[in-house]
Amino acid sequence: MALAGLVTLLIVTGCGRDVAEDRRVRIATGSPTAVYYAIGTAFSGIIDRELPGTDASVLATAASAENLDLVTRGQAEVGFAQSDVLVTGGEPAPGLVALARVYDDLLHLVVRADSPITGLTDLKGRRVSVGARGSGTTVTVGRLLSVAGMAGAVQRRDLGLDASILALERGEIDAFFFSGGLPVTGIERLGAAVGIRIVDLSEWAGELRAAYSDVYVVRDVPASAYSLPPVATIAVPNLLVVAATMPEDLAYDLTRLLMERRGELAAAHPAAERLEMRAAISTLPVPLHPGAARYYKSVKP
């Protein structure tokens, strides 16, 4: 009986491992205190619960650019990414397709409440974190500084969100950029700890559109986000991307769960409240995966 039980255990364990390897879904996200990670973690739990034989997990990363690299190299199956990182000169990155447009990332320029910085050009000569290498933030900020003629005008620091927050709190930098959905938990906590302002960047959206891509738009950071006066800034759509080679049935299932369980995702982070059918299919110029497109057609009224 003992031998039979051991054999049975080995068979079950071995089969479970093979199935999990066949249906592994690694979700590349971002900082543990930012939006990608919160929504990605909730999505991973939903996949584990509702897709038998699928092993879902979350990867903490520098965000968009690193996520695209991981998906392209087959080291992640799903990645969150800003659409401006995916698009160069109007053309989408080859080999990558979308499951959905999830929400818009808003570019935050954060300073202390008593800072003399009130506009982008006030950053000249100052210590500024432009985002971690491999993040979407650093791509967007690089373009922003370029169109403003300030590419070499700041004392650049390549810090992620958590490191930027700590550096601003300690007075080691004068400002930092971060691109994310509202509200960003780490920025909320910083505001409660030391007092902050979000700087208006809306005047530069037109220059970014003209120079790089029409994905750039103006959105408001409402007072409800951080208990601060409302301010306008630059926004860019955020997509959930996969390799074009992902099996169609898996892409269909992932898209279905993303939409059917969006209430659960919104409970993990309010940014997911913006996930709805009409916006989800608006991923151009990045094409939808055929499996995702099949799902949207199946539920079209």
Side-chain angles (χ1 to χ4, degrees):
M1 292 294 292
L3 179 59
L6 177 60
V7 171
T8 300
L9 177 62
L10 289 173
I11 291 172
V12 171
T13 304
C15 290
R17 183 176 62 250
D18 290 343
V19 171
E21 287 175 354
D22 288 343
R23 292 277 301 215
R24 180 169 56 177
V25 176
R26 296 163 294 182
I27 305 171
T29 60
S31 164
T33 61
V35 185
Y36 288 168
Y37 190 87
I39 296 177
T41 299
F43 192 36
S44 173
I46 292 167
I47 295 166
D48 268 340
R49 185 183 70 225
E50 302 205 21
L51 293 185
T54 303
D55 178 24
S57 60
V58 171
L59 305 175
T61 70
S64 294
E66 183 180 356
N67 294 349
L68 297 182
D69 183 58
L70 290 171
V71 173
T72 299
R73 292 192 286 117
Q75 295 181 354
E77 284 64 48
V78 180
F80 288 86
Q82 294 176 191
S83 58
D84 61 339
V85 182
L86 274 156
V87 178
T88 301
E91 294 297 322
L96 294 172
V97 292
L99 297 182
R101 174 176 173 169
V102 188
Y103 55 85
D104 286 354
D105 272 349
L106 277 69
L107 185 61
H108 298 63
L109 173 53
V110 182
V111 299
R112 295 185 70 131
D114 59 357
S115 170
I117 297 169
T118 60
L120 182 66
T121 56
D122 293 332
L123 296 179
K124 290 179 180 178
R126 298 188 181 274
R127 303 162 298 171
V128 182
S129 173
V130 299
R133 293 175 184 173
S135 68
T137 299
T138 195
V139 172
T140 307
V141 173
R143 293 177 175 185
L144 175 62
L145 295 177
S146 178
V147 298
M150 294 175 56
V154 302
Q155 298 181 46
R156 179 186 178 115
R157 303 288 189 272
D158 299 302
L159 305 176
L161 175 61
D162 297 343
S164 294
I165 289 170
L166 186 59
L168 188 68
E169 191 169 8
R170 290 176 172 174
E172 296 168 354
I173 58 174
D174 301 299
F176 71 83
F177 288 95
F178 182 75
S179 185
L182 299 177
V184 178
T185 302
I187 294 176
E188 277 188 297
R189 292 173 181 167
L190 178 65
V194 302
I196 60 169
R197 285 187 291 106
I198 310 294
V199 177
D200 190 317
L201 297 171
S202 58
E203 67 177 287
W204 302 99
E207 283 80 353
L208 283 170
R209 290 170 65 87
Y212 294 101
S213 172
D214 61 5
V215 301
Y216 296 105
V217 295
V218 174
R219 293 282 185 270
D220 288 334
V221 180
S224 59
Y226 303 109
S227 299
L228 294 171
V231 65
T233 190
I234 295 158
V236 60
N238 186 315
L239 307 182
L240 202 61
V241 299
V242 299
T245 54
M246 173 178 278
E248 185 173 328
D249 63 336
L250 179 56
Y252 178 95
D253 283 338
L254 294 178
T255 307
R256 175 178 60 82
L257 291 179
L258 185 72
M259 301 306 298
E260 290 181 355
R261 300 292 178 263
R262 56 188 181 272
E264 190 172 337
L265 297 175
H269 195 284
E273 293 173 357
R274 298 169 180 83
L275 179 61
E276 54 90 20
M277 197 72 67
R278 183 175 297 179
I281 63 175
S282 301
T283 63
L284 291 177
V286 181
L288 283 169
H289 189 289
R294 179 162 63 88
Y295 169 75
Y296 293 123
K297 289 176 183 176
S298 74
V299 295
K300 185 177 181 180

